[in-house]
Amino acid sequence: MKYALRATVAAVAATVVFPFLTVTAVAGPAAIGPDGGAAGAAWTATQDGPQQYPNIHIDWDVPITMSDGTVLKGNVYRPADAAGRAADVQTPTIVNLTPYTKLVSNLADHAQAIPGLSDALLNLFRQIDMSGTPLSGITDLTKAFGGGELRNFTVDRQLIRSGYSQVVVDVRGTGFSQGEWDMLRQREQQDTVEVIDWAARQSWSTGKVGMNGISYSGINQVQAAEKRPEALKAIFPVVPGSDLVDDVLAPGGGFGFNFIPLWLTAINTLKWVPDVQSIVTGKFDTTWLHDRAADPYTYLDVLLSAYTSTRMEDLDPRVKQMLSDYSSERQAWLGDPSTIDIPTFVTGGWHDLFTYSESKIYNEISLPPGQKQLFMGNTYHLNSGNESGRPGLPPRLDVLQRAWFDKWLKGIDNGIDTYGPVTLRQQGGGWIRQNGFGPSAPAEEASQYRRMYLSANRSGTANSVYDGSLTGSANGDTERLTVSPGMTTLCSNDAAQATAGILSIIDGCAKDSRVAELNGLTFTSDPVAEPTTISGPIAVRLNTIQDAADGYWVATVNDVAPDGQSTVLSSGQLMASLRQVDESRSARSANGDYTDPRAYTSLDKREPTVPGEATTLDLALTATEAVLQPGHRLRVDVFAGNFPKGLPILPMLLDTGLKPQHLQLDPNAPSFVNIPVRGKPGW
């Protein structure tokens, strides 16, 4: 009764303070609401209040020797007394492996070490508010820092002072660690298991280990949990991935041309920063220098080959390995979350780089809800937690992380296992709490899949290459609609996603597709009669004709407001030659249509198209949770390219000839979106 009342009061408060949000506690065994109710308030008080230990002791660059002799370097943070002496106590240990060098963690940690500075910075970030301006996306980024994201990314001093140790380690080949960077492959995964074992065996450890971290470090956690090391008891991955090729390297066959080159350049630059102190003290690690010279620019040469080789046979073999379902490299990047058997709290975002994987990780973990949790914001890669830590909204990410570890590493019965288990920010709505999502949703929360057909009937709602309609029943349209490659997608939600959210600061691109749609085909429904929920994965089927041996197709599903603003809810892309679907990893709805058509994305399965002949393509769009308000419309956009989010490798790009592509409307081979709907839209 107390939790239910608290949730109701919080929902009312949220509506008053943040009228654009609604907070809903879905009926269930522990419906305490997205803010966590009284338990959530207690978690925040525990994290923000006085801690057991007044200080932090740091052992810098501790050598950790791997089974092959390679030495990794880690910083060890332990609770300490007022004089900085490490407490003589055994504590649970949090492990974080990073390719971005421990120096980044050190900088953020030093900000926390100055009394009052950390809180002052967090409060400053919370106060920056550019809502209502063309750059409101800046607010989304700054509020992420105030939402606890920095503490998840680096070192959380509050966590350590409460009685935890933390070990931050440079993965091999980066930072001060020896070896050649293995980028989330087998050797690095084995290193992670060995670091966990090392941490568990230290005299200051209870033997219970958790893992935290964002992005790369989140992926690393999921991979480690799949290997089931004995000491690993809980993980808290923020924006993790599981299928790295389909997530970000080459979704649908289009290489992540924007994010990947910048990311590789950053890591390959940072890994050359030397340990200056060791140089000064005469203890410089010459093995480190030798290893860097042996592998000076990991994978950048692979990327160069992908965009300079004009023929498939001239490609660097590693490009072919990345784009081959059968290679050991590809298999190393393809996770299997079904093997995870420890408590896992997955945090993601509807426009994150790894959106495709995040809800799938949750659904595939073979644990009961509560021991596994899913938290999805309406966010990009860099702004997780931007709508949290305020009245009526979910607790900050560092608060949730602390509660998670207290429960599973210290055995404190704090109620975190009754949170969620699925906490979602509805696009077009507010925060909701559910008992499942997509394939795992119980009957009372499940959406019904239905076809919405692409029609040549003009809707009169879009300024596009062709303004078509979406119809609730099959139509007899036979028109051929043509769309050409263009550059309007530079101003798009996909461009914002591809830059990890940096371009999301431009509202006119990230939050409104009308510029991108100038060079696309649009298909728009009638307005919905009542609130209509879209919940789960989405698939689009296109009947296409190419003028060349290949084509590049992109589809988005949008929410169109009465004033014409067109907001992307989900998107997907596919090279026509990579259209073969792996049925063993795909899913269909009760109506027999795909909900998740998993393309092989493998050069081994490539089938060039025949110019002039119809080719059926099934595009997988990322799962989402959204609500169309009365008067809003559903729209499908279709493009012939997606730069900068994706750019085919040069041999495939040349096969497209950058020629126009055609959508052939045919009642015998209809084009449609298979959309998961809950409500009565009136279509």
Side-chain angles (χ1 to χ4, degrees), residues 585-597:
R585 291 190 289 167
S586 299
R588 296 178 184 264
S589 54
N591 62 10
D593 295 330
Y594 286 116
T595 59
D596 182 18

Side-chain angles (χ1 to χ4, degrees), residues 71 73 176-178 275 278-279 283-291:
V71 177
K73 295 293 182 67
F176 297 163
S177 291
Q178 297 175 357
D275 181 354
S278 71
I279 297 175
K283 298 179 180 179
F284 180 66
D285 186 351
T286 57
T287 300
W288 175 93
L289 182 60
H290 178 271
D291 291 342

